[in-house]
Amino acid sequence: MTPANHQLRLQMDIPANHDYGTWLRHAGVEDACNHLALWSLHGGRIWLTSDSAAGKSHLLRTFATELMTTATLDTANDMDCADSWKLAQQWDRQLEGQRCWLIDVPSGDIPVSIAHALFHLIERGRDQQRPIVIAWRGELKALPPELSSRLLAMERVDMAPPESDDELLHILSSSAGKLQWDIREQVLQAMLTYLPRELDLLVAALQELEALSFEQKHKPGPAWVKQQLIRIADAL
């Protein structure tokens, strides 16, 4: 029999749920939400970006669930591909038949081959008169001129993470639910006390706490949580 203070991970994969039930609309994303709503009606090309993690990927997938004529392309698994033309053709097949394209690109530097594939894809979308949204955060000057010029020609829309503690707690609680982790609100509040209020750092720390909790087979108590959060903060 499993001791009461032990918790076991369920051996099943629960698909990520990206809908408005798990999306928090706040001032930092209001402009992006409004632009996407207009984009779905009138088309165009949008570059969705931010200075830090702000939920761009979540917003794209949330929006795609509401608009059935939209295809979402996640490029994260293709970032090691060296053949840009072959990759552009593969992406084009994935998007084929859909009126609107949502393209999610991992933040940071983009390999040259991937940048060229994105350039070809954007050109293909322009030829087919496809409305396009690209979500990417990074330095334009690090991109090949072909891609940077296309992004600059798009309408730039910036997102920002939530500023209030209540909104951050809401997002962390939603993220904990996706991890199949029943976590007390006191733990989430402790994270805001010991860690910088930066969304990407908080979500990464939550994932680390979850992994350690299951590895050590116990629910996190206040002393254990404080110890781990101080260690994580020192490592930043």
Side-chain angles (χ1 to χ4, degrees):
M1 186 173 183
T2 304
N5 65 334
H6 284 200
Q7 57 178 335
L8 300 178
R9 186 191 299 269
L10 296 175
Q11 298 301 315
M12 63 177 67
D13 292 325
I14 298 179
N17 183 25
H18 297 290
D19 57 31
Y20 283 109
T22 59
W23 171 253
L24 175 63
R25 185 160 179 166
H26 55 88
V29 300
E30 187 70 24
D31 193 36
C33 291
N34 292 336
H35 273 79
L36 284 182
L38 290 174
W39 171 84
S40 69
L41 297 174
H42 303 298
R45 283 177 284 276
I46 292 176
W47 171 27
L48 195 62
T49 188
S50 59
D51 291 332
S52 61
K56 295 183 296 298
S57 296
H58 194 153
L59 177 58
L60 288 193
R61 285 156 181 77
T62 296
F63 190 77
T65 63
E66 302 293 316
L67 192 64
M68 301 307 295
T69 58
T70 296
T72 304
L73 176 66
D74 186 351
T75 65
N77 294 328
D78 300 317
M79 299 301 282
D80 293 330
C81 182
D83 190 333
S84 59
W85 179 241
K86 180 179 179 180
L87 184 56
Q89 291 178 312
Q90 173 188 315
W91 287 344
D92 187 37
R93 288 192 296 271
Q94 289 178 242
L95 296 169
E96 187 176 7
Q98 295 297 325
R99 186 179 72 85
C100 304
W101 295 357
L102 300 171
I103 303 171
D104 192 15
V105 183
S107 62
D109 294 340
I110 302 176
V112 173
S113 59
I114 305 301
H116 286 157
L118 286 169
F119 163 75
H120 289 305
L121 186 65
I122 292 171
E123 290 297 284
R124 178 68 169 170
R126 186 174 67 173
D127 291 343
Q128 297 181 7
Q129 298 184 330
R130 295 289 189 261
I132 297 175
V133 174
I134 290 184
W136 173 70
R137 167 170 57 98
E139 292 291 336
L140 269 177
K141 62 184 179 182
L143 297 178
E146 297 90 342
L147 180 58
S148 62
S149 64
R150 295 304 180 272
L151 288 176
L152 286 171
M154 294 180 173
E155 181 182 11
R156 173 171 174 161
V157 179
D158 287 273
M159 292 175 58
E163 295 183 356
S164 75
D165 285 358
D166 286 344
E167 290 172 336
L168 282 172
L169 287 171
H170 181 99
I171 291 178
L172 289 175
S173 179
S174 177
S175 298
K178 295 174 189 174
L179 294 172
Q180 308 173 40
W181 198 24
D182 183 16
I183 186 171
R184 291 175 297 178
E185 185 175 342
Q186 292 90 330
V187 174
L188 302 180
Q189 290 173 336
M191 294 178 67
L192 300 185
T193 300
Y194 293 102
L195 297 177
R197 286 170 166 77
E198 298 177 20
L199 190 57
D200 51 347
L201 294 179
L202 289 169
V203 172
L206 180 67
Q207 293 170 341
E208 185 172 346
L209 285 177
E210 185 255 4
L212 286 171
S213 175
F214 280 107
E215 180 183 318
Q216 298 179 15
K217 295 184 173 62
H218 68 77
K219 291 186 177 181
W224 181 87
V225 169
K226 179 180 178 179
Q227 179 185 25
Q228 300 304 323
L229 291 177
I230 291 175
R231 178 186 58 78
I232 293 172
D234 289 341
L236 296 177

